[in-house]
Amino acid sequence: MKYLYLSASIAGLLFGGSAVAQDVVDQASAQQLQAQAAGFDDIVVTARRRAEPLQDVPVAITALSGQALQEMGVRSTDDLQKALPGVNVSGQRRDDASFYIRGQGPGIFSFGQRNFTSVATYFAEVPALVSGPGVFFDLSGVQILKGPQGTLFGRNTTGGAVLFEPQRPTQKIEGYVQLSAGNYGYRELEAVMNLPISPDLLSIRLAGNVAERHGFTTSVLTGQHLDGRDYQAYRASILFTPAAGLENLTIIDGRVKDQSGTSAVIRQVNPASPTGALIAPYLAQQRALGVRRTLLPVALYDRQSGFGVTNKTTWEASDAITLKNIVSFRRNRVDQASDFDGTPVNTFFIENVPGERGWQIGQEQFTEEFQVQGKVPSMGLEYIVGYYHELTKPGFPQEVRQSLSGNVSVRRLDYRDQSDALFAHAEIDLTNQFQLSGGFRYTWDKRAAGIGVFNTAGDCTQRVPAGTGPITCPFEASGKFKAPSYDATIQYKPMDRVLAYLSYRRGYKSGGLNLPSPAPEFTAFRPEHVDSFEAGLKADWNVGVPLRTNLSAFIDKYKDIQISQPVVIPGVAITSLVQNAGKATNKGFEFEGSIRPLEILTINGFVSYLDAHSNVTVPGTAAIKGRQTAFQPKWKYGVSGKLDLPVSDALGTLGLSVDYSWQGKVNTNETNAAYLTTYPSYGLLGARVELKDVARSGIDLAVFGSNLTNKTYILGGFPLTSSLGFESAYYGEPRMYGISARMRFGN
């Protein structure tokens, strides 16, 4: 029953304490009881900005509870992907990897500018830079929404949204302390304390997470252990309920990271390229060293600092109207030294400008969202209307030092992005079995950016147009983009615990700016649009044992899809050139299933297929027809099992969790016909053995491991063969194992 109580309490907190809140709690409780009768506990999700059981939402969602995250050993976004059908994680730096969903990725990343992503991440309902460790502690759960999002969420996306929701304060004195240790010098402390300062008036929840781990990749030239982990994170949540139906929740969170940088391992060179010819002699040497040792000639570092404040005020003005306001401020600072080829050759290197500067790049984000949620019971109608505003800028003068083939330059970068939107969504029950829902949003985006390129003496070296025009510092550009987005869904419930739906969604992603740009016609790129069609079936069956099957199939048709290609601009360094590339179609399906053959045993599985072939045309290049879109595996599957076996009062309950996931190979580009780089397929095995509530003491003891077969696999890297003459990669974690002890106290 614990999931039932947790779900009901979340729903109650989200909607306050009046009759409206009680209706939601009663409804969620009744549906939870139905799920338990069918043999499963539903997770309550907020995909439609209110608390609902997962099985009642006509959207393809993968939801993981906080307990499931712990059992699977999820401590970063890299770990998370092993439990998610249709989702991949990749990037260019460890712990900063981004999500790819249904053929759409993190969007266009230009160093020193804000990224307008195809897959947005949210923390406590606010768009946020969520990646790496220091986030996955004291969470109520993670929800992955697939397909275009926008009519209900703050930021428009064409691929999906990932929602991280922290635990809320409760009216109980409770908490825990957990200590973990393992190989590679792994040490971690996690602690939570929940205190009702004044019952039913003021509660606070304090949580902290500190971890260290030695790096598992060693430079044979410097002796540095790369790919280490060293961070401290904290969170304070304050819940104030001064009157019935009125609540105010403030969440303060932060993270500081100071660890060794990401390793780079050379995999491929183009000997016909001048740079590739210099690197070629080291390729055989690197292959002899293996992937856990590199030829990096300098020490690398990764320093980051993040801070955020989110305030949510909810007022139930009546039984039919609820007003909600969400305001937030988030700040991030980054200072990294990165080597892109992993050899002693000076090809492409980024670091901070020497001196007293603390940070290279930054982001300060302010958001304001106001909602009116209402219902008309006599019509079977529920609705939400609202306004969203977002303003983002660096927060300080950004400056980055780059070295390209020995030519050192300093780039000074600035940007200002503003997004405003009006949105509305409604659901109406046509009959007891049919429901129609839909939404509309109109978005206005304003983007401005500037860049200046200087030599080490401080003289401007930037020519606009690149290489031919007059020397100009800074070069500034701006753009305005606007578009509607909308959706419609029809759902049908032929029987209890069975839901079928058809949906259409029109998605939009803002256009942007290429700075620096090789030519005036490439300075700006247009917005991207998608028409998404999805059919789904969510069902709980009784086939002698409880069985759950969730299936969704989709076709996404893109127009003016944004494609990024690395290019070298003389006198400036390397940059990502974004261009609109005509049309593309992605299609596939995702299946998730659960079966409970015994009361103490649950088996889960998933499989996904994605056909995201490149039939686009990028000016100046030729796409390879039929080649899968970059960083998107065609096939992915996974299976996990959980066994809870009561042993004795002295030992408590024995819990055994095992999980295995596999994904197919991925391409790293669609247009380079000379060097077709791929990352091989791989499978990962993990397990956890736990004694829960030993001798009824509130102590849980666990032994855990990940990548138990010590598989060598690639997470991301730098496919720069066409532009710089080489391709390098960074590899996933080797076999990791450890022990943990959690002491729970209070209720």
Side-chain angles (χ1 to χ4, degrees):
M1 297 289 288
K2 60 183 178 182
Y3 291 104
L4 171 60
Y5 296 144
L6 175 61
S7 302
S9 65
I10 291 174
L13 286 170
L14 281 171
F15 288 84
S18 69
V20 173
Q22 191 59 50
D23 287 346
V24 174
V25 173
D26 291 344
Q27 181 183 9
S29 299
Q31 291 166 327
Q32 291 280 7
L33 288 171
Q34 291 176 6
Q36 288 187 333
F40 296 102
D41 298 318
D42 262 340
I43 298 175
V44 170
V45 297
T46 54
R48 297 195 289 189
R49 306 304 293 271
R50 68 175 191 272
E52 298 177 282
L54 172 66
Q55 292 298 99
D56 287 349
V57 182
V59 178
I61 305 172
T62 298
L64 299 172
S65 66
Q67 181 177 343
L69 294 171
Q70 180 182 359
E71 291 170 349
M72 298 193 71
V74 175
R75 308 307 291 172
S76 71
T77 48
D78 297 341
D79 299 328
L80 187 61
Q81 70 168 334
K82 64 186 180 183
L84 305 176
V87 180
N88 192 30
V89 175
S90 188
Q92 296 182 333
R93 291 179 180 85
R94 193 175 307 279
D95 295 344
D96 289 340
S98 300
F99 293 96
Y100 293 77
I101 299 179
R102 291 186 173 180
Q104 286 290 288
I108 309 307
F109 179 78
S110 180
F111 204 68
Q113 292 187 49
R114 173 176 169 248
N115 178 28
F116 267 45
T117 178
S118 304
V119 179
T121 53
Y122 292 79
F123 181 80
E125 298 188 82
V126 172
L129 296 174
V130 179
S131 64
V135 176
F136 292 85
F137 68 100
D138 200 36
L139 292 177
S140 66
V142 178
Q143 304 168 41
I144 295 85
L145 282 58
K146 299 160 189 175
Q149 309 293 324
T151 60
L152 276 169
F153 284 89
R155 186 178 294 170
N156 266 305
T157 58
T158 51
V162 184
L163 316 181
F164 294 82
E165 191 62 34
Q167 289 281 12
R168 295 167 56 97
T170 69
Q171 298 299 319
K172 300 175 182 178
I173 298 176
E174 59 184 356
Y176 63 85
V177 176
Q178 178 172 299
L179 293 170
S180 303
N183 60 335
Y184 292 96
Y186 166 60
R187 297 175 295 173
E188 183 171 0
L189 168 66
E190 183 176 330
V192 173
M193 169 66 80
N194 191 94
L195 294 172
I197 304 300
S198 179
D200 299 320
L201 178 64
L202 180 65
S203 297
I204 65 172
R205 188 177 185 92
L206 306 175
N209 183 217
V210 179
E212 293 181 5
R213 190 187 66 198
H214 301 325
F216 49 79
T217 309
T218 304
S219 168
V220 298
L221 299 182
T222 67
Q224 184 187 24
H225 297 292
L226 297 153
D227 304 316
R229 182 170 291 177
D230 190 346
Y231 69 87
Q232 304 87 44
Y234 63 87
R235 192 179 303 146
S237 302
I238 305 166
L239 179 64
F240 180 49
T241 53
L246 177 63
E247 72 163 41
N248 183 275
L249 174 64
T250 300
I251 303 171
I252 303 169
D253 66 277
R255 183 184 69 167
V256 177
K257 182 169 67 171
D258 190 354
Q259 59 194 36
S260 58
T262 299
S263 62
V265 176
I266 192 72
R267 294 184 72 226
Q268 182 177 219
V269 300
N270 176 8
S273 162
T275 302
L278 293 174
I279 295 176
Y282 296 99
L283 183 59
Q285 187 177 352
Q286 177 62 71
R287 289 174 175 170
L289 289 173
V291 302
R292 303 303 180 195
R293 292 188 294 172
T294 77
L295 297 164
L296 285 166
V298 295
L300 305 182
Y301 59 84
D302 182 0
R303 297 175 56 237
Q304 298 188 38
S305 175
F307 172 77
V309 179
T310 302
N311 181 271
K312 305 180 189 181
T313 302
T314 305
W315 176 42
E316 294 180 7
S318 69
D319 289 346
I321 298 292
T322 298
L323 307 180
K324 187 173 183 178
N325 192 77
I326 306 172
V327 61
S328 77
F329 172 79
R330 302 200 66 86
R331 182 185 67 205
N332 289 277
R333 301 282 189 263
V334 175
D335 178 17
Q336 296 170 327
S338 302
D339 184 282
F340 292 79
D341 62 77
T343 75
V345 178
N346 187 345
T347 57
F348 188 23
F349 185 80
I350 293 179
E351 63 179 342
N352 205 338
V353 177
E356 298 181 356
R357 292 182 57 85
W359 305 104
Q360 294 168 312
I361 62 173
Q363 176 174 304
E364 290 186 356
Q365 173 188 282
F366 171 79
T367 67
E368 160 63 27
E369 181 175 355
F370 179 72
Q371 305 173 8
V372 179
Q373 300 182 8
K375 62 181 182 179
V376 183
S378 61
M379 298 176 58
L381 173 68
E382 295 192 49
Y383 63 88
I384 175 175
V385 296
Y387 164 73
Y388 178 77
H389 168 77
E390 180 178 299
L391 176 63
T392 309
K393 53 187 179 181
F396 66 94
Q398 300 180 118
E399 200 168 69
V400 179
R401 179 185 175 104
Q402 291 191 359
S403 176
L404 182 64
S405 299
N407 297 317
V408 179
S409 64
V410 176
R411 303 208 303 180
R412 297 174 186 170
L413 310 130
D414 193 18
Y415 67 92
R416 189 180 191 276
D417 292 319
Q418 180 175 323
S419 183
D420 294 273
L422 296 172
F423 61 90
H425 176 87
E427 302 151 27
I428 186 167
D429 295 328
L430 303 177
T431 68
N432 290 334
Q433 294 177 304
F434 283 95
Q435 183 189 85
L436 180 65
S437 60
F440 182 85
R441 172 194 180 107
Y442 206 95
T443 304
W444 297 265
D445 290 315
K446 299 178 182 178
R447 308 195 69 179
I451 182 172
V453 182
F454 303 83
N455 61 22
T456 54
D459 301 321
C460 177
T461 61
Q462 177 176 250
R463 294 185 178 273
V464 181
T468 59
I471 290 179
T472 305
C473 285
F475 174 70
E476 298 177 326
S478 62
K480 294 182 179 180
F481 312 95
K482 60 182 180 180
S485 51
Y486 38 86
D487 64 78
T489 300
I490 182 74
Q491 71 177 53
Y492 172 56
K493 287 187 173 183
M495 62 186 74
D496 269 351
R497 308 299 299 172
V498 176
L499 170 68
Y501 65 90
L502 291 171
S503 68
Y504 164 74
R505 286 174 283 184
R506 171 75 168 181
Y508 154 82
K509 184 172 69 174
S510 171
L513 306 168
N514 287 309
L515 295 184
S517 172
E521 62 268 26
F522 295 126
T523 299
F525 53 91
R526 299 186 303 277
E528 175 181 291
H529 300 274
V530 60
D531 292 299
S532 177
F533 306 86
E534 181 177 311
L537 177 67
K538 297 183 175 184
D540 288 343
W541 314 95
N542 190 339
V543 292
V545 295
L547 173 67
R548 170 171 291 175
T549 57
N550 290 349
L551 175 67
S552 62
F554 62 91
I555 298 177
D556 295 339
K557 294 183 175 294
Y558 289 87
K559 180 181 178 182
D560 286 332
I561 192 167
Q562 297 168 0
I563 299 294
S564 175
Q565 295 293 316
V567 297
V568 176
I569 300 178
V572 176
I574 191 168
T575 188
S576 294
L577 178 65
V578 185
Q579 300 175 74
N580 296 99
K583 300 178 181 180
T585 299
N586 298 342
K587 54 184 178 293
F589 70 87
E590 296 140 5
F591 172 81
E592 295 181 85
S594 298
I595 189 169
R596 184 171 289 175
L598 302 170
E599 183 66 25
I600 59 175
L601 176 63
T602 302
I603 300 173
N604 305 305
F606 69 81
V607 62
S608 61
Y609 172 76
L610 173 66
D611 179 354
H613 287 165
S614 294
N615 295 311
V616 300
T617 301
V618 180
T621 64
I624 303 168
K625 188 174 182 179
R627 184 168 170 81
Q628 184 84 343
T629 299
F631 304 110
Q632 307 286 314
K634 282 189 176 182
W635 287 98
K636 184 175 181 180
Y637 65 82
V639 61
S640 62
K642 179 185 175 185
L643 176 67
D644 288 313
L645 183 64
V647 180
S648 68
D649 289 342
L651 291 178
T653 300
L654 176 65
L656 173 62
S657 302
V658 180
D659 60 86
Y660 177 81
S661 63
W662 180 92
Q663 70 172 49
K665 69 177 183 180
V666 300
N667 301 316
T668 63
N669 54 63
E670 300 96 31
T671 59
N672 180 12
Y675 290 89
L676 304 181
T677 306
T678 61
Y679 296 161
S681 61
Y682 63 89
L684 298 177
L685 175 66
R688 179 184 180 91
V689 181
E690 185 174 19
L691 278 175
K692 304 177 183 178
D693 199 17
V694 177
R696 301 186 182 276
S697 62
I699 296 177
D700 303 331
L701 303 175
V703 178
F704 54 86
S706 61
N707 191 11
L708 293 178
T709 60
N710 206 26
K711 181 70 175 180
T712 299
Y713 62 101
I714 300 175
L715 280 176
F718 305 96
L720 303 175
T721 314
S722 59
S723 54
L724 288 182
F726 69 87
E727 183 254 329
S728 63
Y730 73 91
Y731 287 77
E733 296 176 351
R735 180 188 296 116
M736 294 290 181
Y737 53 85
I739 60 174
S740 69
R742 172 178 289 204
M743 182 179 69
R744 294 174 281 108
F745 55 87
N747 297 308

